[in-house]
Amino acid sequence: MSFTNNSASRTIQSRSAKERTLNTGFIVFSQIFAWSVAGTLIWLACLVGWQAIPAISKFGLGFVFTSSWNPPQESFGVWPEVYGTLASSFIALALSVPIGLGVAIFLSEDYLPTPVQRVLVFLVELLAAIPSVVFGLWGIFVLIPFLKELTPLKSPALLPAALVLGVMILPTITAISRDAMINVPQDLRQAAYGLGATRWETIIQILIPAASSGIIGGVMLALGRALGETMAVTMLIGNANQVSLSLFAPANSIAARLANQFAEASGLQVSALMYAALILFGLTLAINIIAQLLVTRLQKI
Amino acid sequence: MNPLQETFQQTESILRTENANIYYGQFLALKGINLDVQKNKVTAFIGPSGCGKSTLLRCYNRLNDLIPSFRLEGKISYYDRDLYAPNIDPVQVRRKIGMVFQKPNPFPKSIYDNIAYGARINGYKGDMDELVEKSLKGAALWDEVKDKLKQDGRAISGGQQQRLCIARAIAVQPDIVLMDEPCSALDPISTIKVEELIHELKEQYTIVIVTHNMQQASRVADTTAFFNVKVTDQGNRQGFLVECDRTEVIFQNPREESTQQYISGRFG
Amino acid sequence: MLSDNPDSAQSLWGINNDSLEYNPNSNRTRFGIFMTGLVSLFTAIAIIPLFVVLSYLIINGIEHISFNSFFELPPQALTQDPGGFGNALIGTLIMVGIGLALSVPIGIMAGIYLSEFSHPNIAYWLRFATNVLSGVPSIIVGTFAYGVLVVTFKSYSAWAGGFALAILMLPIIVRTTDEALQLISQDIRQASVGVGANDYQTVLQIVIPSAVPAIVTGVTLAVARAAGETAPLIYTAGFNQFWPDLKLQALSSQPIASLSVLIYQFGISPYENQQQLAWAASFILMILVMLSNIVARIATTKRNF
Ligand SMILES: Nc1ncnc2c1ncn2[C@@H]1O[C@H](COP(=O)(O)OP(=O)(O)OP(=O)(O)O)[C@@H](O)[C@H]1O
Ligand SMILES: [Mg+2]
């Protein structure tokens, strides 16, 4: 009797000691992996920053405002790229914010029967699935020839790049604004209608302001994507190292500069490209952090 | 006929419900309602949960139009005009027949703009500051908020928020104010304030109030309508009007047994 | 209290104050109709690009694709040879495979930690970092992979490309796992703990199995995203005209082709046979991406960003 009891309790004990170790191991293991995601972000920032140091110490902040890119003479500056990145992104935003917000309104208020609404939402989101290189290809062979017919456009330029960029960020703006609109408490709608507001007075004066942090968050996320978008822009913007106010003039972007020249760069040019990458990274990081804060605030409400 | 009931029927009726059946899809939520709401009186709707008090209330300002499955049979008229006639604009109806909700729901705007909003959309051309002041005074809130009109309407206490919502409703100068359990989310002191306010408001407005609180109905209402709910053979819960009379009659000498049971708490 | 004089009230509130009728000519009604028309138009405008791009892809893709496209090497310039994208298709599969092998275990474990074991505050910041990582432009991720692996191996390689894709897939997998696990009800965990199971037994044997469909959806979306990525491959995997060498050593010492880089290089090439192959490759890439997206979205309603 006592023998059996003893051995049974010993087995249980030894088994649980072993399992406790396994269990702790599992948790620690998962913890390491979770931190490695955050670690990757930091590693990325440090690596790009580290490689950029030679260029940073040589050119300083003037890098951002200089327009030359001359590897043999080791003189580098990204002003045209910074300009082209900002210009193409803001034109894209100017097009897709009103359209995206309009779509979000149309697909969140009960204008359409739910199944129709769901299909349309799905189609808009499918737009986000088209790879950017495919948009680039389409832009080269369809959009640019089409614009050449209609406008003074003669070659790849800022305009086609910005147009395609606008289409590419539309789903982000629509989806996040729509979420924000849907999440506005139903009783605010009722309060407005109850005062004799029409549907559009309710939407514009009550719902949009109430959803504004989510909408702005969505717009910021879209801006972050637009600034960093590479392939479609590289293929359509013309890659010209110049600053021109014309929409029809070739331009450049930071991402396009990286895509075009990294492969054949060496020496200080690599560092200069890393510096450009660092600028783009810093810009998108700041915008993304603000966007995330706004969007998570929306989810908490 | 009861002598009290005769006087009851003499006052002018402002909302008249005739043979109303109210559906959500196939589901008949309220059946065969005949009910008059008297002008410049307070009418209370009482009854067990789910009997359709809110549903009927929301028919009066066509707020149920926002629910796609909603359907009304029968007739609801405001003075002599059919509220559901095809040429009637629900937006105009809601401006004449305002609503205060169970949960205070101020807009995420300043106290001032909460009140000015309705007036602006309805094309008010007078002095806005004056209207805001009048409405806040009318809702007995002015003294408490006059120094913080620029503050967010959600930054004041729940009781104050509810009075802000009442101020917001009366700022557009409606004829009728519908209140759906306006005190159920409030503390006792705020409740007393809102009840006092209701007493004052009936000079100017007709008030219909839904309440679960018997005492409240007996304190504020001139007329009380008791609704009940029965389970049909198909197993649906169907609401109906049991009786509607002067509040004293309902509380002291109701015609129906079920009313007696409900008000004395021996219900269900 | 409020205006006592009905006449003055009338003038203050405009003419239609007392009318209950619907007025099709009022500014409010007209504004509403105009705005409704406008947003329906916007919705049409938003949908059109999808159909336009897809229809060009289908038309040009079908015209230039053939059975041989799958088994041949890309064509040289200045020939009549239509060629194929066989090596690029294999390259894409290899690199997406490497990306999956790296990101799935890490991503799922990280998701488990976030939803099962972490302190809420820590989880908040780790989720935040995950979301920020998913917003890092893919070209920057390529730059990173270049710095880490290309510099080390002194060559473009499948590993470097796969590594870059893994970083792009990682946040998607972490997030979907995390969200899927959070949806599993607490009861089922308690039931398992109640019969004496350890944390890891509960997670691996009870919680994860119920979350598998959602996790699979997340992985599918991650694959769809990775397969279409070009920017992070240009200077990590590079491009190759020839069949990939599948020996382990070669995967770290030779550039490798991919569908997306092929589309880019041949899309901007001046030679017609190469341009045509770019359309054919786009068509296939699109089918891959769309299929995985549709499958993933039908399974659950998740978004891919
Ligand atoms: N939007 C709706 N769709 C379908 N059915 C509804 C809807 N709103 C209410 N109902 C149903 O109609 C019936 C009456 O609901 P109503 O909210 O009017 O009751 P009530 O008397 O106000 O109850 P309470 O005292 O709980 O507020 C209930 O059975 C309810 O389930
Ligand atoms: Mg109710």
Side-chain angles (χ1 to χ4, degrees), chain A residues 49 67 205 287:
Chain A
S67 301
Q205 295 172 47
I287 286 169

Side-chain angles (χ1 to χ4, degrees), chain B residues 78 81 87-89 92 95-96 121-122 124-126 134 138 170-173 205, chain C residues 1-4 9 11-23 28-29:
Chain B
Y78 166 60
R81 305 165 63 185
N87 62 339
I88 296 291
D89 184 0
Q92 294 292 344
R95 177 238 179 291
K96 282 283 162 200
I121 55 170
N122 286 300
Y124 179 68
K125 293 189 206 64
K134 267 186 195 165
I170 61 182
V172 296
Q173 306 191 352
Y205 307 96
Chain C
M1 257 185 297
L2 292 173
S3 165
D4 298 322
S11 62
L12 283 179
W13 288 89
I15 335 147
N16 278 331
N17 186 37
D18 276 328
S19 149
L20 289 183
E21 269 89 33
Y22 184 75
N23 177 0
R28 299 170 81 184
T29 316

